[in-house]
Amino acid sequence: MLFRSWSLQVRRAKDINNAVARAFFIARSGRPGPVVLDISRDAQIGLVDEPYRPINYIRSYNPSPIADPQKLQAAAEIINSARRPMILAGQGVAISGAERQLMEFAEKAQIPVATTLLGLSVVPSDHPLYKGMLGMHGNIGPNMATNRADVIIGIGMRFDDRVTGKASAYAPEAKIIHIDIDASEFDKVVPSAIALHSDAAKALDSLMPLIDRVDERKEWLKFFDDCKKREEDTVIKAELHRSNDSLMTMGEVVRAVSEATGNKAIAVTDVGQNQMMSARYFRFRQSRSFISSGGLGTMGFGLPAAIGAKIGRPDRTVVAFMGDGGFQMTMQELGTIMQYGVNVKMVVMDNNYLGNVRQWQNLFYHQRFSQTPLLNPDFITIARAYGIEGMDIHDRSELKEGIERMLAHDGAFVLNVAIDPEDMVFPMVAPGKAIDNMLIDPNTVFEL
């Protein structure tokens, strides 16, 4: 039995300890998920003499199933016969602590690795087998390769619509091996040749001895490198290397912050263009360094999530990247930062628009812009009212100094950066299109 969610009503004070222990065990094991405890008033005002005791076992609850040995052997045979294999790594890799196993597996078989949005940072950005992010605003190489691969190994990911694009046109040449701890994800979006119901780390440990060592996949890896070069010459150059007299872009701000932290910070994002630009242009040297709302896509997520990240990892620099719209949805949490002295660095990408909605209105709704312009307050004045330092950046020449000042400041800091309101996130897979049908500007589809 694998709980997707769990709830319990507690009516007696003496049941609270056990209920809380069960709730924490279920929430944190297997595929982590929500739990709800409804504690009645009678229970809340009652007295409990017994101390709290955590638990690590619930009868009939199996949070970490073991993959079927016959299916493991069949999966290994498919992988060993592959000419163009590809690994798609999701957040399940980080949840299971399978980063080491993933890289040993990929290196042994020389298989390129791409990640989902929430899988970012499970592989170092500079690893030679890491080929970028998948999906609607993912890198060209992984998306184009998806529909050319003959074997796809999905590890701890859901094959959601942002990764697959048009599901009926997804990976037509590939046998799909899907590894996940949640069996309900199998065959939900795309059919799998082999479904391995297991914790990612355990599945990879079991697969490793069955996989043949491969010296190189020169031609297949060159395909990714060629796509990367084309992406750098078009999309990335346009985003990161504008002339000095042009307005700033989100991508260049994200990259500048990443480099200033030595690519060692935890990046937390809100939702929208700031989220996609952070995913595309922040760089990672260690796992568990990217936090974002990748399922529900909840605006306002960034600031409270960054507070939690900093409290959880006070030893690491935490940078929250937010749009001006998302920041205003939970801006009251500046009060939490003030009250508890949380040293969060906040970068507001201020383009006076709900930028992602504006982009869709521009590309797919004939530029009928509606309810997307924003008349913003003075964010730095508001921050200072909470005792938080800040700085406005209006020009590219001020950016480096502003970032250095933010990172050097002993305490929370808001860096409000004026962004080109017409800047858009590319590449982009338009709704209803195949994953390898990628716009690299408003009018151009990428072609090999």
Side-chain angles (χ1 to χ4, degrees):
M1 181 178 181
L2 179 65
F3 293 108
R4 291 296 302 275
S5 59
W6 181 79
S7 64
L8 180 69
Q9 186 178 72
V10 183
R11 300 183 180 184
R12 301 180 302 179
K14 69 178 184 178
D15 296 330
I16 290 177
N17 279 349
N18 183 259
V20 171
R22 287 166 62 89
F24 271 94
F25 177 64
I26 292 169
R28 298 173 64 179
S29 59
R31 179 180 178 181
V35 299
V36 175
L37 287 181
D38 179 9
I39 303 176
S40 70
R41 184 174 181 275
D42 287 349
Q44 291 180 46
I45 65 174
L47 298 176
V48 178
D49 294 328
E50 295 182 2
Y52 173 78
R53 294 185 179 89
I55 62 174
N56 56 15
Y57 171 77
I58 297 176
R59 189 174 62 182
S60 80
Y61 174 48
N62 180 19
S64 186
I66 304 298
D68 183 280
Q70 291 183 334
K71 290 186 175 181
L72 284 166
Q73 184 63 50
E77 291 173 2
I78 291 173
I79 295 167
N80 289 336
S81 64
R83 296 178 60 195
R84 300 182 305 280
M86 183 176 169
I87 293 172
L88 314 185
Q91 190 183 27
V93 173
I95 291 171
S96 71
E99 294 91 340
R100 175 185 58 80
Q101 289 93 332
L102 171 65
M103 292 320 304
E104 289 178 359
F105 179 81
E107 289 166 358
K108 182 176 182 181
Q110 285 297 290
I111 301 176
V113 181
T115 65
T116 64
L117 175 69
L118 294 186
L120 286 170
S121 83
V122 300
V123 182
S125 300
D126 60 356
H127 193 284
L129 287 175
Y130 179 64
K131 301 303 176 183
M133 184 178 71
L134 301 153
M136 177 176 284
H137 291 294
N139 293 105
I140 289 174
N143 280 1
M144 299 298 289
T146 294
N147 281 11
R148 288 155 178 80
D150 60 359
V151 173
I152 286 178
I153 308 158
I155 307 174
M157 47 87 70
R158 300 179 294 128
F159 290 102
D160 67 279
D161 64 297
R162 293 301 173 100
V163 165
T164 64
K166 184 179 180 181
S168 61
Y170 181 78
E173 301 179 33
K175 293 179 180 179
I176 293 176
I177 298 168
H178 192 179
I179 301 171
D180 205 277
I181 201 167
D182 186 352
S184 69
E185 296 296 344
F186 297 141
D187 304 319
K188 187 171 75 174
V189 179
V190 296
S192 54
I194 302 289
L196 297 176
H197 185 205
S198 177
D199 171 82
K202 292 180 179 179
L204 290 172
D205 279 335
S206 298
L207 266 177
M208 194 79 68
L210 308 176
I211 298 300
D212 295 339
R213 184 170 298 280
V214 174
D215 291 332
E216 64 175 17
R217 297 185 190 273
K218 189 173 182 180
E219 185 177 344
W220 180 227
L221 294 174
K222 183 178 183 298
F223 176 86
F224 289 88
D225 294 339
D226 291 344
C227 289
K228 181 179 179 180
K229 179 67 165 58
R230 292 277 302 279
E231 185 173 353
E232 287 175 346
D233 291 343
T234 53
V235 176
I236 296 175
K237 181 179 179 180
E239 181 68 21
L240 299 185
H241 303 291
R242 292 194 179 184
S243 61
N244 285 332
D245 59 349
S246 62
L247 296 173
M248 283 179 287
T249 69
M250 292 187 185
E252 69 177 303
V253 174
V254 170
R255 179 59 61 84
V257 173
S258 181
E259 291 177 350
T261 65
N263 303 324
K264 295 179 180 180
I266 295 174
V268 184
T269 84
D270 209 84
V271 169
Q273 286 181 321
N274 67 89
Q275 177 186 39
M276 293 297 105
M277 289 297 196
S278 298
R280 286 184 52 80
Y281 295 107
F282 206 86
R283 290 291 175 263
F284 306 99
R285 296 181 64 180
Q286 62 189 103
S287 186
R288 298 176 181 265
S289 296
F290 184 78
I291 300 173
S292 191
S293 179
L296 294 174
T298 310
M299 287 183 68
F301 172 90
L303 185 54
I307 294 170
K310 186 61 181 179
I311 291 172
R313 289 302 304 267
D315 57 313
R316 296 186 63 186
T317 299
V318 175
V319 182
F321 294 100
M322 300 168 284
D324 43 348
F327 182 42
Q328 292 184 82
M329 289 188 172
T330 50
M331 192 164 56
Q332 71 276 9
E333 297 303 334
L334 293 173
T336 303
I337 292 172
M338 176 179 66
Q339 183 162 344
Y340 294 99
V342 185
N343 184 3
V344 173
K345 311 305 181 184
M346 295 160 274
V347 179
V348 181
M349 318 273 217
D350 191 348
N351 60 5
N352 294 107
Y353 272 97
L354 296 174
N356 206 42
V357 182
R358 185 186 187 280
Q359 176 165 334
W360 280 60
Q361 290 173 343
N362 190 341
L363 296 176
F364 310 120
Y365 294 93
H366 310 290
Q367 298 183 339
R368 294 197 297 269
F369 301 118
S370 175
Q371 313 309 315
T372 48
L374 296 175
L375 182 61
N376 290 330
D378 185 331
F379 293 127
I380 303 305
T381 297
I382 291 174
R384 286 175 177 157
Y386 286 94
I388 297 169
E389 282 301 307
M391 179 179 179
D392 284 311
I393 303 293
H394 298 289
D395 187 83
R396 185 171 283 106
S397 62
E398 304 169 331
L399 182 60
K400 185 175 184 293
E401 178 188 351
I403 293 172
E404 290 174 349
R405 180 180 166 190
M406 174 182 72
L407 295 176
H409 180 69
D410 184 18
F413 195 97
V414 176
L415 194 69
N416 185 56
V417 187
I419 297 293
D420 182 356
E422 297 185 1
D423 188 29
M424 291 192 280
V425 189
F426 290 106
M428 181 178 189
V429 179
K433 298 295 184 181
I435 197 65
D436 59 352
N437 187 309
M438 304 188 73
L439 291 168
I440 56 174
D441 64 42
N443 303 304
T444 308
V445 175
F446 178 82
E447 294 182 2
L448 290 173

